[in-house]
Amino acid sequence: MSVTSTFTVLNHYREYLLERYDNFPHGRYVSVILIRKTESETIFRTEGSGEGLVKELVTAGRREATREPIQRVVISKRKQTAVERRVGRELLREHGLLGTVTVGREQRPCALNTNAPCGKCIDCMVYGYAAGGGGAQKSRVMTDDAYSLAPASLVTGTRTFNATFDNGTMRNPFDGKPSTSINEDEYVLPETHFLDTETLKDVTPGEFQYVLGNILRSSRYGAISSRQGRVRNMITAVIFSDTEIFSNLELTQEVYDLLLEAQGGNELDVPLNDALVERCVQQATDTLLRDLVGRPPLVVRGEALGRLLEETLMLYREPERLKGLLEEVTASYKDLP
Ligand SMILES: [Zn+2]
């Protein structure tokens, strides 16, 4: 018996998933609506870029009274999936399920951000790859930049520090004098909420479990070199549909309006209450889905969502079963044309 056939909860939603991987698009979408909340001071920036926090000027809300521009902190889409891919690849590595690539006379394991992806492992097949020597797979996990609910001015802080020298101290290794160069670091405050949707397109039940597991097991999204921020991902709904749903920005703006109404002020009161944010996200989801052109989507939340997530948690608690599933999914790519 295959591991896939044991997903009694997920298999209820089978008509929205693919039986097996196919090269052609089928228009089956699974959107995972997420609240990402920082649990410590966090710096989101593209690794090694040396840049500060990314902020963008966008419209605050969707009501007449809130259509004014504000700055929001942005977590780039690349940043989000890079973290989750790494978490998934650790698992594949542990079970020997990353493919190998021949580079010159060498056999190398599939690696991220190199010119030599294997094109055969679950990561390459789900999140996509482009090989230098030809061959490509479009990502079937679509993400967008995520925005902070509150304006940047309310959820960021800055700290100055003396730059360290090569030897990792504040003293010059040559003359022993203290560092005089001052750097400034801008960070996101703890308990800042971001809204995000990850859209999975044409995935199989096994691939769905893999991506969901990666989201649930990722907790460090900050810049690697400096302070690592802890982020908690809370899934508020899983939506099955035959078309793409609303954007992150629309959702953020609608929730912003609902929060203002609930709090009864002109500016958000931060830190925001988790339960209130979740309630507003649910309400905003319903409002925005009404504008969707397509077959009415199936929204899984509340108890039904709890059962779906529980099934994923159980799978990840049983290493042998999980390994079996990952092997099954990997094998399903073998006989592709
Ligand atoms: Zn690969």
Side-chain angles (χ1 to χ4, degrees):
M1 192 168 66
S2 71
V3 180
T4 301
S5 65
T6 61
F7 300 140
T8 51
V9 184
L10 182 60
N11 283 335
H12 283 147
Y13 308 108
R14 222 188 192 125
E15 58 175 304
Y16 296 95
L17 302 163
L18 287 195
E19 206 58 45
R20 55 177 299 130
Y21 172 77
D22 187 45
N23 280 325
F24 295 96
H26 289 261
R28 297 190 197 178
Y29 294 84
V30 188
S31 305
V32 182
I33 313 285
L34 288 160
I35 301 173
R36 301 193 195 267
K37 178 191 168 194
T38 57
E39 294 195 313
S40 59
E41 291 176 3
T42 308
I43 300 170
F44 295 108
R45 63 176 166 222
T46 312
E47 273 160 49
S49 67
E51 71 199 13
L53 281 179
V54 180
K55 285 180 256 173
E56 260 170 42
L57 198 62
V58 290
T59 308
R62 298 172 85 229
R63 311 283 186 268
E64 207 58 64
T66 55
R67 281 202 197 131
E68 60 199 5
I70 57 166
Q71 291 239 300
R72 284 193 158 103
V73 181
V74 177
I75 318 178
S76 75
K77 53 184 171 188
R78 243 192 49 210
K79 174 107 249 169
Q80 305 172 55
T81 42
V83 171
E84 289 159 22
R85 286 185 79 160
R86 215 169 281 127
V87 165
R89 292 175 72 96
E90 265 173 33
L91 192 67
L92 297 180
R93 192 170 299 120
E94 181 188 326
H95 294 300
L97 292 172
L98 284 176
T100 52
V101 210
T102 315
V103 182
R105 260 183 257 155
E106 243 185 295
Q107 283 275 27
R108 282 196 212 155
C110 179
L112 264 183
N113 299 328
T114 63
N115 265 333
C118 76
K120 287 172 242 155
C121 69
I122 305 181
D123 178 79
C124 282
M125 291 302 287
V126 172
Y127 291 94
Y129 69 91
Q137 164 76 37
K138 250 180 101 172
S139 177
R140 284 180 289 138
V141 180
M142 300 180 287
T143 52
D144 216 338
D145 293 345
Y147 298 87
S148 60
L149 269 169
S153 57
L154 293 182
V155 297
T156 56
T158 50
R159 175 170 299 148
T160 53
F161 62 94
N162 288 60
T164 49
F165 288 100
D166 271 357
N167 59 2
T169 74
M170 299 285 186
R171 288 199 177 267
N172 188 320
F174 301 109
D175 57 19
K177 288 196 179 128
S179 158
T180 51
S181 111
I182 303 286
N183 281 352
E184 204 170 58
D185 243 354
E186 198 175 19
Y187 58 88
V188 176
L189 299 178
E191 300 189 36
T192 297
H193 296 79
F194 293 81
L195 300 184
D196 190 29
T197 306
E198 284 199 21
T199 307
L200 284 55
K201 192 174 177 221
D202 296 331
V203 295
T204 62
E207 291 172 334
F208 173 86
Q209 298 290 26
Y210 178 73
V211 176
L212 209 64
N214 293 347
I215 294 173
L216 293 171
R217 295 184 312 121
S218 295
S219 59
R220 300 254 172 216
Y221 287 80
I224 282 198
S225 51
S226 53
R227 226 170 290 138
Q228 288 209 342
R230 255 195 101 87
V231 173
R232 189 151 68 93
N233 292 326
M234 293 170 273
I235 298 178
T236 64
V238 172
I239 301 173
F240 296 96
S241 61
D242 62 3
T243 178
E244 256 194 280
I245 59 166
F246 46 77
S247 71
N248 282 345
L249 189 55
E250 280 176 294
L251 180 64
T252 307
Q253 289 165 335
E254 181 66 23
V255 171
Y256 174 85
D257 286 333
L258 294 173
L259 285 168
L260 272 189
E261 281 162 30
Q263 291 185 337
N266 290 323
E267 201 168 55
L268 289 187
D269 237 340
V270 292
L272 298 163
N273 173 285
D274 283 350
L276 176 64
V277 174
E278 154 128 45
R279 209 160 57 236
C280 292
V281 170
Q282 301 291 15
Q283 200 183 326
T285 301
D286 289 338
T287 304
L288 294 168
L289 283 181
R290 258 178 249 140
D291 298 335
L292 200 69
V293 182
R295 193 152 62 111
L298 180 70
V299 183
V300 181
R301 61 183 160 210
E303 274 179 40
L305 177 64
R307 283 193 293 275
L308 188 64
L309 298 182
E310 181 65 22
E311 192 166 64
T312 307
L313 288 180
M314 290 306 293
L315 172 72
Y316 277 82
R317 274 184 207 141
E318 297 170 60
E320 278 311 305
R321 228 175 118 233
L322 178 61
K323 182 175 180 227
L325 177 72
L326 297 174
E327 284 170 352
E328 241 166 72
V329 178
T330 307
S332 75
Y333 304 135
K334 279 244 165 69
D335 322 307
L336 286 174

